[in-house]
């Protein structure tokens, strides 16, 4: 059993173990929190899902509890739900390894995937029979480098790949930065598109050596691929990526679209004459959001692009049309299953949704919407789908069927139960605009006392809170805290104009939205206004630092990977190009815009005890930002603590550090929020 005691540990937390005061947290509370965290870590996470082209089989990748990286690849015949899933693996002895990046062959019989089953740590490309006839997986590559995104060619004779040759690891901007000595970044790595022929396992480079490929999609005839790409280094220049077409046979490259903002998710029309993609203001690679745009792709593309030091780009490119303009939702994943319509996953007012729009534009139809988080693989018919679904109180499981009429396939986490008092979508008005967030209340205290609350601000800022399964929320509510998760301006879910509403205004309009939401919660929920904490990571860490410099409404704070000083940050992070769309100019051209939003300039106003957390080798937000804020607080006599996690990047990857971060955060609020106020009325002494 994976988590047999979880329902008791989370749902029936012993209230007597809670302590709110200035002293250290009692050991029993820490021990019980640790036990509950360990139980939560035993749940199975479904990392990927892929429906076969004919919709008869579904493959998914599930985590192996108790391991940091191991993952199993499972396949199930949907016509026989009574049969157990079959594991597909490259491991010769069945040992656990890291496997994933699934791609079905066009006939639905073979699976291509990446695996660490071979020698060393590097992932290689394998293919295996998934039709039930069995047979060992076959290795297709022996590349010294980093592989990603295998996708079968439409004719089933080869597999496309993204490859960084010679690299040992490529964790992206969120991973720990490489230690740099000598001449820094003299030759940045390049991720190129390559093709592996299945018959003879020959690897052929296709895309130009001077172009860093972020994503790609095969055209229906296999003659070319559409790519989103930028000049190297890719981690730093993703925010200026363009859309190109690369000829699969020759590598000739043509520019299709120069976006105003960021682009992602290229998808071809079934006839190969048009290309759709998502364009919008995006603050993080991999966290897609925006409108759906479509561009026509002529059969012959005359304007070829040269890449090099003196490359000149053509000025005339096909115009793109926005088919979701004005939509009060944010497209996040894109499919083009039939010639008549596009289907996309979206965030809509804090909920997950599937929507459809005609390829020529027009009314956007909602196919399904719900208060949960989903991960979708859509069939060729645009109706059949495989979906990973999870919610605040429901751990992830796999479902399949027509959109909105799914049937549950797995019960991997059937013994995981999270009990909360209430889950509410909260809406309020700020500066005349509607804003939304989520409130999760603990099981009511028998004494009738109002609960303390922690406001959790999401990162990004171009992101959005969906009511998905979250161990942090589960632990906070189990400890007796209410959890408020706002989606202020700059968030996904209410259209592109809302996402862009905090440009050149960090910490002002968006923070006003958070405070207005806090007022709305206090006016309607049993929450104690005198016991308020705030926390967040990345942009949420910045707003946490900002909050304690602007108001005394929060009695304790935990800032993770936050930006204390936008001016010093600009020159020390490795991805500064993300800031230009938001600030409108470099720090060298308009330093006052950066100064205006820097928490360090208001640090003398801080009274709240503030815990500062950071990864040692964070290249997105260097640890120097944490040092700068902590040193200021310490110098000014504010209670503070700085924790630097060794060899970690922007996202903490080591399980022991993830656990420490969460439990340390709980301890900080327990120790630094005011003690519980007695509910008895005070008796005033008689006047003399």
């Amino acid at each position: 059993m994976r988590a047999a005691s979880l329902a008791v540990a989370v749902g029936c937390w012993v209230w007597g173990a809670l302590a709110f005061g200035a002293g250290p947290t009692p050991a029993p509370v820490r021990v019980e929190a640790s036990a509950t965290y360990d139980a939560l870590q035993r749940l199975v996470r479904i990392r990927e899902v892929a429906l076969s082209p004919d919709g008869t089989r579904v493959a998914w990748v599930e985590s192996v509890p108790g391991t940091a990286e191991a993952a199993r690849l499972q396949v199930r015949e949907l016509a026989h739900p009574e049969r157990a899933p079959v594991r597909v693996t490259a491991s010769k002895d069945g040992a656990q390894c890291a496997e994933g990046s699934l791609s079905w062959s066009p006939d639905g019989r073979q699976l291509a995937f990446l695996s660490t089953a071979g020698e060393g740590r590097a992932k290689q490309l394998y293919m295996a029979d998934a039709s039930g006839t069995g047979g060992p997986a076959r290795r297709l590559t022996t590349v010294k480098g980093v592989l990603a995104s295998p996708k079968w060619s439409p004719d089933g004779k080869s597999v496309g790949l993204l490859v960084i040759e010679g690299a040992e690891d490529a964790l992206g901007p969120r991973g720990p930065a490489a230690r740099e000595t000598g001449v820094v970044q003299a030759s940045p790595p390049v991720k190129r598109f390559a093709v592996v022929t299945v018959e003879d396992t020959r690897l052929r480079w296709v895309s130009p050596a001077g172009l860093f490929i972020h994503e790609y999609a095969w055209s229906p005839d296999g003659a070319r691929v559409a790519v989103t790409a930028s000049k190297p280094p890719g981690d730093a220049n993703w925010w200026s990526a363009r859309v190109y077409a690369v000829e699969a046979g020759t590598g000739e490259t043509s520019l299709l679209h120069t976006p105003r903002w960021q682009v992602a998710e290229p998808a071809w029309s079934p006839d190969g004459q048009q290309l759709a993609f998502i364009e919008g203001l995006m603050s993080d690679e991999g966290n897609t959001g925006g409108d759906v745009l479509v561009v026509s792709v002529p059969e012959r593309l005359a304007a070829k692009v040269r890449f090099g030091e003196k490359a000149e780009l053509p000025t005339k490119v096909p115009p793109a049309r926005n088919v979701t303009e004005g939509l009060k939702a944010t497209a996040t994943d894109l499919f083009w299953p039939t010639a008549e319509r596009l289907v996309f996953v979206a965030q809509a007012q804090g909920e997950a949704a599937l929507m459809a729009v005609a390829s020529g534009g027009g009314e956007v139809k909602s196919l399904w919407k719900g208060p949960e988080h989903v991960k979708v693989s859509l069939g060729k018919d645009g109706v059949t789908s495989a979906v990973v679904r999870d919610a605040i109180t429901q751990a992830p499981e796999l479902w399949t069927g027509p959109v909105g009429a799914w049937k549950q396939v797995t019960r991997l986490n059937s013994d995981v139960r999270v009990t909360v008092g209430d889950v509410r979508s909260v809406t309020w008005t700020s500066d005349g605009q509607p804003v939304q967030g989520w409130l999760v209340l603990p099981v009511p205290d028998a004494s009738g006392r109002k609960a303390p609350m922690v406001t959790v601000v999401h990162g990004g800022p171009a992101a959005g809170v969906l009511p998905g399964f979250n161990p942090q929320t589960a632990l906070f509510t189990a400890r007796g805290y209410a959890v408020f998760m706002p989606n202020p301006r700059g968030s996904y879910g209410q259209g592109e104009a809302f996402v862009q509403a905090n440009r050149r205004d960090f910490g002002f309009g968006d923070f006003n939205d958070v405070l207005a939401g806090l007022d709305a919660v206090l006016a309607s929920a049993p929450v104690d206004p005198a016991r308020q904490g705030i926390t967040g990571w990345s942009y949420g860490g910045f707003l946490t630092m900002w909050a304690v410099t602007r108001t005394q409404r929060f009695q304790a704070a935990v800032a993770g990977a936050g930006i204390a000083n936008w001016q010093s940050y600009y020159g020390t992070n490795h991805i500064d190009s993300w800031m230009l769309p938001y600030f409108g100019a470099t720090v060298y051209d308009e330093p006052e815009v950066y100064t205006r939003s820097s928490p360090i300039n208001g640090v003398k106003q801080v009274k709240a005890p503030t815990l500062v957390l950071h990864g040692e080798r964070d290249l997105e937000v260097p640890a120097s930002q944490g040092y700068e804020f902590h040193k200021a607080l310490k110098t000014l006599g504010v209670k503070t603590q700085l924790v630097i996690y060794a060899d970690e990047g922007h996202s903490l990857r080591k399980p022991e550090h993830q656990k420490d971060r969460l439990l340390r955060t709980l301890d900080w609020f327990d120790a630094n929020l005011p003690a519980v106020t007695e509910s008895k009325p005070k008796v005033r002494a008689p006047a003399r």
Side-chain angles (χ1 to χ4, degrees):
M1 296 179 68
R2 296 185 181 90
S5 63
L6 185 57
V8 175
V10 175
C12 304
W13 202 288
V14 180
W15 291 94
L18 294 174
F20 300 97
T25 304
V29 175
R30 175 75 180 211
V31 170
E32 190 161 0
S34 179
T36 303
Y37 181 89
D38 291 341
L40 285 169
Q41 290 304 104
R42 291 197 293 273
L43 69 89
V44 178
R45 303 174 187 277
I46 304 177
R47 298 176 179 174
E48 297 177 50
V49 60
L51 189 66
S52 66
D54 59 5
T56 62
R57 302 180 182 91
V58 63
W60 69 92
V61 177
E62 62 184 48
S63 65
V64 179
T67 66
E69 297 181 358
R72 288 185 291 251
L73 197 171
Q74 305 275 30
V75 176
R76 170 165 279 177
E77 297 276 349
L78 294 179
H80 299 283
E82 74 283 357
R83 297 178 184 174
V86 175
R87 183 186 177 194
V88 175
T89 181
S91 175
K92 295 180 180 179
D93 58 2
Q96 302 296 348
C97 55
E99 295 182 322
S101 299
L102 308 178
S103 179
W104 284 99
S105 61
D107 63 7
R109 299 181 62 86
Q110 305 285 334
L111 265 176
F113 60 97
L114 301 179
S115 175
T116 59
E119 302 80 10
R121 295 177 57 247
K123 291 182 179 179
Q124 297 293 339
L125 176 64
Y126 291 81
M127 60 176 288
D129 187 285
S131 65
T133 59
R138 179 182 167 211
R139 183 167 172 170
L140 299 181
T141 62
T142 54
V143 177
K144 291 184 178 179
V146 176
L147 310 183
S149 303
K151 295 180 184 179
W152 285 87
S153 63
D155 63 7
K157 296 180 179 180
S158 58
V159 179
L161 274 175
L162 296 182
V163 184
I164 302 179
E165 192 176 23
E168 294 183 0
D169 206 347
L171 299 175
R174 297 187 183 186
R179 293 189 172 91
E180 296 177 318
T181 58
V183 179
V184 175
Q185 287 294 324
S187 300
V190 179
K191 184 186 292 183
R192 298 177 65 187
F193 173 68
V195 173
V196 178
T197 306
V198 171
E199 183 178 356
D200 59 10
T201 69
R202 182 174 65 91
L203 184 143
R204 176 173 58 88
W205 298 102
V206 178
S207 64
L211 193 63
F212 191 104
I213 310 297
H214 301 283
E215 296 175 281
Y216 74 96
W218 285 99
S219 65
D221 62 2
R224 55 175 61 139
V225 290
V227 303
T228 61
S230 62
K231 64 180 182 180
D235 287 347
N237 291 322
W238 174 80
W239 289 268
S240 58
R242 300 179 179 188
V243 184
Y244 301 89
V246 180
E247 302 300 321
T250 64
E252 287 188 326
T253 301
S254 304
L255 180 64
L256 294 181
H257 179 66
T258 300
R260 182 179 181 186
W261 306 110
Q262 286 71 55
V263 286
E265 294 280 322
W268 288 92
S269 61
D271 61 7
Q273 295 181 7
Q274 299 182 88
L275 184 76
F277 45 85
I278 295 174
E279 179 174 338
L281 182 62
M282 307 179 208
S283 54
D284 294 275
E285 182 177 3
N287 193 6
T288 304
D291 285 325
V292 179
L293 274 66
V294 177
V295 63
S296 296
V297 183
E299 184 176 350
R300 292 187 178 182
L301 293 166
K304 299 297 184 282
V305 182
R306 293 182 296 108
F307 298 93
E309 186 176 349
K310 298 181 180 180
E312 296 180 1
L313 298 179
T315 57
K316 293 183 179 181
V317 295
R321 62 185 184 275
N322 188 337
V323 297
T324 59
E325 189 170 6
L327 180 67
K328 297 299 182 182
T330 303
T332 57
D333 298 276
L334 183 60
F335 310 93
W336 200 330
T338 66
E340 293 76 22
R341 67 174 191 163
L342 289 148
V343 177
F344 57 94
V345 184
Q347 293 186 22
Q349 296 82 47
E351 296 188 343
L354 271 82
M355 297 180 170
V357 64
S359 54
E363 180 186 1
V364 176
K365 296 182 179 180
S366 179
L367 306 177
W368 171 87
K369 183 181 177 185
E372 55 189 84
H373 171 267
V374 297
K375 189 179 300 179
V376 180
S377 176
L378 192 66
K380 277 190 172 183
D381 60 4
V383 176
T384 309
S385 56
V387 187
V388 180
R389 307 171 68 187
D390 61 278
I392 292 288
T393 58
Q394 179 59 57
E397 297 290 357
L398 176 63
W399 301 61
T400 61
V403 170
W406 299 299
K407 292 184 179 180
Q408 189 169 348
V409 173
T410 66
R411 300 189 184 277
L412 300 169
N413 298 302
S414 58
D415 51 358
V416 176
R417 291 289 183 272
V418 174
T419 303
V420 300
D422 196 10
V423 178
R424 304 178 185 178
S425 177
V426 183
T427 57
W428 64 94
T429 300
S430 177
D431 292 339
Q433 298 295 319
V435 189
Q436 183 273 342
W438 287 96
L439 175 66
V440 185
L441 295 169
V443 175
D445 188 342
S447 69
R449 294 171 177 150
K450 292 184 176 181
M453 187 169 78
V454 176
T455 295
V456 180
V457 186
H458 67 68
V465 176
L466 293 172
F469 189 86
N470 188 319
Q472 175 175 271
T473 301
L475 283 178
F476 274 30
T477 54
R479 187 87 127 223
Y481 290 98
V483 179
F484 175 46
M485 298 171 284
N487 282 315
R489 70 190 74 175
S491 302
Y492 293 159
Q494 299 203 60
E496 188 60 20
F498 191 80
V499 175
Q500 299 194 23
N502 68 341
R503 293 179 62 240
R504 296 174 66 88
D505 195 44
F506 282 1
F508 292 92
D510 46 13
F511 186 57
N512 288 344
D513 293 350
V514 173
L515 292 182
L518 180 60
D519 289 337
V521 169
L522 292 175
S524 62
V527 175
D528 189 345
R531 292 187 289 158
Q532 296 292 309
I534 186 169
T535 187
W537 197 266
S538 192
Y539 190 81
F542 152 68
L543 269 189
T544 298
M545 292 176 172
W546 182 261
V548 294
T549 69
R550 306 289 291 188
T551 179
Q552 304 303 322
R553 297 186 63 174
F554 301 102
Q555 290 78 45
V558 180
I563 297 96
N565 185 339
W566 289 104
Q567 284 189 285
S568 61
Y569 169 77
Y570 190 97
T572 54
N573 78 86
H574 289 216
I575 56 166
D576 55 272
S577 61
W578 83 266
M579 305 169 72
L580 295 179
Y582 279 100
F583 286 87
T586 71
V587 72
Y588 316 116
D589 293 321
E590 294 189 33
E592 64 277 4
V593 181
Y594 294 81
T595 301
R596 177 174 178 262
S597 294
S598 293
I600 198 70
N601 295 320
V603 74
K604 281 188 148 184
Q605 309 305 316
V606 181
K607 305 296 182 186
T610 302
L611 172 64
V612 181
L613 308 174
H614 228 106
E616 178 196 11
R617 293 159 58 190
D618 188 342
L619 63 80
E620 285 203 7
V621 182
S624 57
Q625 292 295 308
Y627 279 101
E628 189 168 350
F629 200 67
H630 169 69
K631 183 175 182 179
L633 295 180
K634 190 174 181 181
T635 300
L636 295 169
V638 178
K639 183 177 180 181
T640 184
Q641 185 181 72
L642 174 65
V643 180
I644 303 294
Y645 291 101
D647 294 319
E648 293 283 15
H650 196 59
S651 298
L652 303 186
R653 296 171 181 266
K654 297 180 181 179
E656 63 270 25
H657 291 159
Q658 296 171 351
K659 179 178 181 179
D660 182 85
R661 170 198 165 186
L662 185 50
L663 298 186
R664 190 179 294 273
T665 297
L666 279 168
D667 290 349
W668 189 262
F669 288 128
D670 284 348
N672 292 293
L673 287 179
V676 175
T677 304
E678 292 295 331
S679 58
K680 295 180 180 179
K682 293 182 179 179
V683 179
R684 181 177 297 177
R688 294 184 179 178

